[in-house]
């Protein structure tokens, strides 16, 4: 008799379902409880900081943890640098480890509704479509800035995009790598063959081959942004093949740098300064420098400018010259000659005379991708659709 | 600096990478699968070992960093795993509770715990476990690096036959098998089903915690939230593949560890196409094994009789 059916379900199934739902709810609640800690903290801060001058609140959202030695750390440092510059005028609200799902919409809404943020920086590439677009329509008075450059005409007016040409720094890192390498073989651990990654690989290789034309770059794609074991295996395999300088384009370069140091080879960093991870082998690195750009935007907002009235550009771009990126300090293994060669090119970037992509340029299949005599300046939109690997790169963009 | 020889070892590199991968990448698989083997022999499934693995990795890294002793970290990882095991062991044995559902909740709970307490440990560098260098006789640096094995691997290598002997030849092993195969018979023998299963789950989770320690303190040797990438769940499938035999768990773990190294190693010698396919090799392998070993007519040979039932 105990097996009476309730809405077609046995009592056992109902209890089982309830229990599983409760357990799921409890654990998920626990998860959000710890991620929103930062914003509560910041909300408390804004409560105490509100006095004369009415500070504005700016929100930052990161896809991973803020101290990952990588992409998110670079953004978090930039945000912190910006707040330090405008202390008392700008309050910072942050939330880390927000997945690229509707969860980011909730994070944005809570920053606007609860913390009173008037500008948001959701920093991950995948936040843009549809999440930022949707929330931007809901809150036309709030300004949204997205890193990664997917903005185009027709989208809501209160969205802007900013991104840096970090491949300029990779070009110089390539020069340093080529001049320090003994085997003439460089390695690059990439996540996925998308244009941004390909552009970094190509610039790194072109930089290397500008000083030593016989240098080659071996590329290994791991298939995803965070694959610690595959990144370690990739680095080890490259060392076994005689490669003696590696760099990478993954979310957190920590594994690649530490593995390279363990195996006694050189490395050049990416995203942030990783010299602490490889004190002996770290040569230099391509770092983001978001403090400049964040400060500039904050200054504009404080001055009352907005994206809607055109006071702030919808598309902000720049490289070394504009202060979007920079190089890590040279490591102890970099010779004086190498430093000089790299500094010379850096000076060319700084005065705007340097062009990385110019003809005649062939891809690694032998096809001409830029005809001789042609130049592609950094702003050229064609470069943002890059779908080839240049001559000297060993690897394939097919899956 | 750059003592690494400039000579390339070409295709030998692929074989070497797979061989090294079996020992480097196979260690966490080995511990988790041995732990799951013990748990399932007693008639319960613990899917939560994915969460246990993460908690173990985080605890090991954190304790190693705070105390400076990696071995203390390994022990702490085991204890942290065992504590999660207590929760699973108690919950999954309540009347009308499904152990698979509890296991899924434990995955979320274990990873939540690990992420929550792991935040401050992402950046610092913790002392790593010492390695045993078996390759010093060779002057090829690649071989030396490949033969740097962790004492944890040797420990796992020793546990597998010991566990096999335990199941076959000891009174306690008989109890575990009896409880797993025929709880009624065990009860008639005067064995407490609850206690035997509880202890098996705790011991299994302890081993899985140590598996986590090998991830964060040996290879790849750091703590990030993405470190396990599903290895805990794979290890559960691996136990079925190994037919609940600890010795076969060992071979299966080595196979899966080696398969992980295949994709990157092939790319490094210039096999450029199909790396997504090579990266998926272990999963494809699992799928095929599942297809070939499943049967609608009879239980897989070696499966504990009471596995997955609510008795």
């Amino acid at each position: 008799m105990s097996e009476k059916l309730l809405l077609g379900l046995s009592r056992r199934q109902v209890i089982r379902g309830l229990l599983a739902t409760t357990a799921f709810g409890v654990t998920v609640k626990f998860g959000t409880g710890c991620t929103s800690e930062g914003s509560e903290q910041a909300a408390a801060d804004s409560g105490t900081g509100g006095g004369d001058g009415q500070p504005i609140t700016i929100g930052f959202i990161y896809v991973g943890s803020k101290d990952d030695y990588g992409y998110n750390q670079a953004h978090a440092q930039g945000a912190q640098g910006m707040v330090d510059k405008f202390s008392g005028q700008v309050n910072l609200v942050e939330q880390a480890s927000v997945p690229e799902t509707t969860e980011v919409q909730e994070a944005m809404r809570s920053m606007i509704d609860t913390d009173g943020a008037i500008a948001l920086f959701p920093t991950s590439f995948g936040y843009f479509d549809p999440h930022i677009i949707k929330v931007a329509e809901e809150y036309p008075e709030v300004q949204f800035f997205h890193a990664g450059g997917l903005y185009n005409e027709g989208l809501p007016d209160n969205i802007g995009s900013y991104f840096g040409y970090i491949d300029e720094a990779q070009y110089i890192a390539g020069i340093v790598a080529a001049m320090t390498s003994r085997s003439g073989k460089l390695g690059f651990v990439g996540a996925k063959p998308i244009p941004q990654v390909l552009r970094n690989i190509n610039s790194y290789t072109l930089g290397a081959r500008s000083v030593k034309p016989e240098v080659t770059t071996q590329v290994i794609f791991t298939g995803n942004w965070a694959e610690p074991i595959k990144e370690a295996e990739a680095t080890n395999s490259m060392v076994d093949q005689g490669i003696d300088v590696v760099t990478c384009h993954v979310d957190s370069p920590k594994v690649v740098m530490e593995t390279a140091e363990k195996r006694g080879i050189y490395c050049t960093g990416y995203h942030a300064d990783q010299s602490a991870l490889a004190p002996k082998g770290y040569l230099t690195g391509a770092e983001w420098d978001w403090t400049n750009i964040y400060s500039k935007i904050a200054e504009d907002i404080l001055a009352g400018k907005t994206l809607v009235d055109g006071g702030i550009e919808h598309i902000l771009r720049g490289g070394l010259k504009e202060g979007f990126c920079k190089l890590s300090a040279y490591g102890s293994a970099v010779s004086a000659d190498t430093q000089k060669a790299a500094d010379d090119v850096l000076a060319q970037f700084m005065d705007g005379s340097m062009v990385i992509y110019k003809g005649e340029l062939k891809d690694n299949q032998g096809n001409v991708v830029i005809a001789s005599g042609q130049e592609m300046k950094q702003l050229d939109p064609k470069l943002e659709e890059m779908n080839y690997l240049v001559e000297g790169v060993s690897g394939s963009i097919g899956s | 600096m750059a003592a690494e020889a400039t000579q390339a070892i070409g295709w030998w590199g692929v074989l070497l990478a797979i061989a090294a991968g079996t020992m480097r990448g196979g260690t966490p698989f080995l511990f988790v699968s041995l732990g799951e083997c013990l748990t399932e022999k007693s008639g319960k499934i613990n899917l939560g070992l994915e969460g246990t693995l993460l908690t173990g990795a985080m605890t090991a890294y954190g304790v190693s960093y705070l105390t400076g002793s990696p071995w203390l970290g390994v022990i702490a990882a085991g204890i942290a795993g065992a504590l999660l095991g207590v929760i699973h062991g108690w919950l999954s044995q309540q009347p009308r509770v499904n152990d698979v559902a509890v296991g899924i909740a434990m995955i979320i709970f274990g990873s939540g715990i690990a992420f929550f307490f792991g935040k401050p440990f992402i950046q610092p560098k913790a002392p790593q476990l010492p390695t045993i260098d078996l390759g010093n006789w060779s002057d090829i640096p690649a071989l030396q690096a490949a033969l740097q094995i962790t004492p944890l691997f040797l420990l796992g290598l020793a546990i597998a036959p010991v566990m096999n002997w335990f199941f076959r030849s000891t009174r306690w092993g008989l109890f575990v098998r009896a409880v797993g195969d025929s709880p009624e018979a065990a009860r008639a023998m005067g064995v407490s089903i609850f206690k035997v299963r509880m202890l098996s789950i705790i011991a299994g989770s302890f081993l899985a915690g140590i598996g986590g320690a090998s991830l964060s303190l040996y290879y790849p040797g750091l703590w990030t939230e993405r470190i396990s990438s599903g290895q805990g769940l794979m290890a559960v499938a691996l136990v079925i593949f190994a037919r609940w035999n600890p010795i076969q768990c060992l071979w299966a773990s080595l196979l899966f560890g080696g398969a992980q190294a295949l994709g990157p190693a092939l790319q490094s010698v210039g096999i450029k196409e199909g790396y997504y396919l090579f990266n998926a090799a272990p999963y494809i392998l699992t799928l095929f094994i599942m297809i070939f070993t499943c049967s609608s007519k009879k239980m897989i040979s070696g499966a504990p009789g009471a596995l997955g039932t609510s008795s």
Side-chain angles (χ1 to χ4, degrees):
Chain A
M1 277 313 282
S2 64
E3 292 294 312
K4 243 182 201 172
L5 293 187
L6 178 70
L7 295 172
L9 294 167
S10 76
R11 196 178 63 158
R12 182 173 295 190
Q13 281 170 314
V14 171
I15 291 173
R16 223 176 253 180
L18 283 176
L19 196 84
T21 318
T22 318
F24 184 76
V26 166
T27 45
V28 166
K29 195 83 189 161
F30 185 81
T32 52
C34 63
T35 48
S36 64
E37 183 192 33
S39 55
E40 280 160 22
Q41 176 68 37
D45 286 350
S46 70
T48 54
D52 45 315
Q54 284 295 319
I56 57 167
T57 301
I58 297 182
F60 278 81
I61 301 172
Y62 315 108
V63 73
S65 110
K66 282 196 295 180
D67 44 9
D68 60 354
Y69 271 111
Y71 185 80
N72 300 298
Q73 180 175 328
H75 280 290
Q77 280 173 350
Q80 195 55 50
M82 178 267 289
V83 170
D84 290 346
K85 248 184 211 176
F86 298 98
S87 63
Q89 294 171 279
V90 176
N91 280 324
L92 179 63
V93 201
E94 289 178 298
Q95 192 165 333
S97 302
V98 181
E100 295 169 339
T101 61
T102 46
E103 206 165 307
V104 70
Q105 299 185 19
E106 287 313 308
M108 286 190 271
R109 287 191 190 104
S110 115
M111 280 183 176
I112 297 167
D113 293 337
T114 322
D115 305 318
I118 61 159
L120 289 182
F121 290 82
T123 55
S124 184
F125 194 80
Y127 289 158
F128 192 76
D129 194 5
H131 310 299
I132 291 178
I133 299 175
K134 185 149 181 262
V135 180
E137 278 167 359
E138 282 173 37
Y139 297 91
E141 74 287 0
V142 179
Q143 305 189 61
F144 296 80
F145 297 91
H146 179 245
L150 293 167
Y151 176 82
N152 47 40
E153 294 284 316
L155 289 171
D157 251 358
N158 52 335
I159 301 179
S161 92
Y162 60 96
F163 210 64
Y165 301 123
I166 200 171
D167 62 312
E168 294 183 351
Q170 286 284 23
Y171 185 88
I172 299 178
I175 294 175
V176 175
M179 291 182 72
T180 313
S181 168
R182 291 172 202 185
S183 65
K185 292 181 180 176
L186 314 180
F188 199 112
V189 181
K192 297 177 179 185
I194 63 165
Q196 285 176 9
V197 178
L198 299 178
R199 191 165 173 176
N200 278 331
I201 297 170
N202 289 340
S203 293
Y204 190 73
T205 311
L206 288 171
R209 287 165 74 92
S210 73
V211 288
K212 281 192 185 170
E214 73 283 3
V215 168
T216 57
T217 305
Q218 171 74 54
V219 178
I220 294 184
F221 291 111
T222 58
N224 223 328
W225 294 108
E227 290 275 359
I229 294 180
K230 291 215 178 68
E231 288 156 19
E233 288 295 347
T235 314
N236 274 316
S237 303
M238 293 206 280
V239 179
D240 292 346
Q241 295 302 326
I243 283 161
D244 64 354
V245 188
V246 289
T247 188
C248 61
H249 186 161
V250 294
D251 261 359
S252 171
K254 206 177 167 191
V255 179
V256 174
M257 300 300 143
E258 284 189 342
T259 310
E261 182 79 353
K262 256 186 228 166
R263 293 294 303 268
I265 65 160
Y266 302 113
C267 54
T268 70
Y270 189 61
H271 287 316
D273 185 6
Q274 285 110 24
S275 54
L277 298 174
K280 280 188 278 182
Y282 195 76
L283 299 177
T284 183
E287 292 178 34
W288 296 107
D289 190 2
W290 297 118
T291 307
N292 278 326
I293 181 69
Y294 287 158
S295 304
K296 194 178 155 298
I297 296 176
E299 202 181 325
D300 286 349
I301 296 173
L302 284 168
K305 296 180 186 170
T306 61
L307 287 163
V308 181
D309 69 16
I312 305 175
E313 299 257 358
H314 280 282
I315 295 175
L316 292 163
R317 291 284 188 281
L320 288 163
K321 185 182 166 196
E322 294 81 4
F324 279 68
C325 52
K326 63 182 177 193
L327 284 168
S328 314
Y330 298 119
S332 54
V334 182
S335 72
D337 285 353
T338 310
Q339 291 194 15
K340 196 185 163 302
D343 284 339
D344 286 349
V345 179
L346 180 62
Q348 289 181 40
F349 275 117
M350 289 314 227
D351 67 23
S353 63
M354 183 72 204
V355 178
I356 299 178
Y357 292 93
K358 56 190 172 200
E360 186 192 56
L361 188 68
K362 281 185 183 166
D363 67 10
N364 64 356
Q365 313 284 317
N367 309 315
V368 177
V369 283
I370 302 177
S372 86
Q374 274 191 346
E375 281 191 349
M376 279 196 187
K377 294 261 169 56
Q378 285 293 51
L379 267 170
D380 200 318
K382 264 198 175 161
L383 289 178
E384 297 193 9
E385 298 161 4
M386 191 170 284
N387 59 357
Y388 52 86
L389 289 164
V390 296
E391 197 176 8
V393 181
S394 165
S396 158
I397 56 169
S399 57
Chain B
M1 202 52 237
E4 208 69 40
T6 48
Q7 84 253 29
I9 51 174
W11 272 92
W12 287 105
V14 177
L15 293 178
L16 198 64
I18 293 171
T22 56
M23 290 181 279
R24 293 191 293 230
T27 310
F29 280 130
L30 180 57
F31 276 93
V32 179
S33 63
L34 286 175
E36 183 68 18
C37 182
L38 180 59
T39 304
E40 290 193 12
K41 273 281 187 191
S42 77
K44 283 285 168 193
I45 297 172
N46 188 357
L47 280 183
L49 291 188
E50 171 79 14
T52 312
L53 193 70
L54 278 166
T55 307
M58 185 279 295
T59 313
Y61 202 75
V63 169
S64 170
Y65 172 67
L66 294 175
T67 66
S69 160
W71 286 108
L72 221 54
V74 173
I75 292 167
I79 293 171
L83 289 178
L84 286 178
V86 172
I87 302 176
H88 182 81
W90 186 79
L91 273 180
S92 66
Q93 294 199 70
Q94 297 312 300
R96 296 187 215 88
V97 168
N98 183 305
D99 45 359
V100 172
V102 175
I104 292 170
M106 290 301 291
I107 294 179
I108 304 169
F109 180 66
S111 41
I113 288 270
F115 296 170
F116 180 68
F117 290 107
K119 286 270 180 273
F121 301 120
I122 295 175
Q123 185 129 38
K125 213 168 138 68
Q128 300 283 301
L129 282 172
T131 52
I132 301 172
D133 299 341
L134 294 180
N136 285 344
W137 50 271
S138 157
D139 42 353
I140 305 170
L143 200 60
Q144 286 177 359
L147 288 175
Q148 277 187 346
I149 61 171
T150 172
L152 286 180
F153 176 68
L154 297 180
L155 185 67
L157 218 55
I159 290 176
V162 168
M163 192 183 278
N164 199 30
W165 170 80
F166 169 81
F167 285 140
R168 274 170 194 273
S169 318
T170 66
R171 191 175 161 75
W172 280 90
L174 180 69
F175 288 164
V176 174
R177 282 192 294 143
V179 167
D181 258 336
S182 171
E184 287 77 13
R187 199 178 285 124
M189 271 163 72
V191 177
S192 161
I193 296 173
F194 182 85
K195 279 185 194 157
V196 169
R197 285 184 172 168
M198 190 73 171
L199 288 176
S200 300
I201 293 172
I202 292 174
S205 300
F206 183 88
L207 287 177
I210 291 181
S214 91
L215 278 178
S216 66
L217 294 180
Y218 168 59
Y219 193 81
L222 80 172
W223 160 246
T224 79
E225 295 177 356
R226 300 290 302 278
I227 192 149
S228 85
S229 43
Q231 291 188 65
L233 283 173
M234 292 263 294
V236 175
L238 212 136
V239 174
I240 302 169
F241 170 39
R243 305 222 183 272
W244 294 270
N245 179 331
I247 301 289
Q248 287 177 25
C249 279
L250 172 64
W251 302 132
S253 306
L254 294 181
L255 184 69
F256 276 67
Q260 278 185 325
L262 188 64
L266 282 176
Q267 280 190 69
S268 79
V269 294
I271 307 282
K272 303 158 199 160
E273 307 297 334
Y275 53 88
Y276 278 109
L277 208 60
F278 293 124
N279 285 345
Y283 305 94
I284 295 171
L285 202 62
T286 313
L287 202 62
F288 273 109
I289 288 157
M290 293 304 211
I291 292 168
F292 285 121
T293 54
C294 83
S295 161
S296 55
K297 294 198 177 64
K298 62 178 175 64
M299 284 286 274
I300 306 169
S301 60
L307 193 63
T309 63
S310 50
S311 63

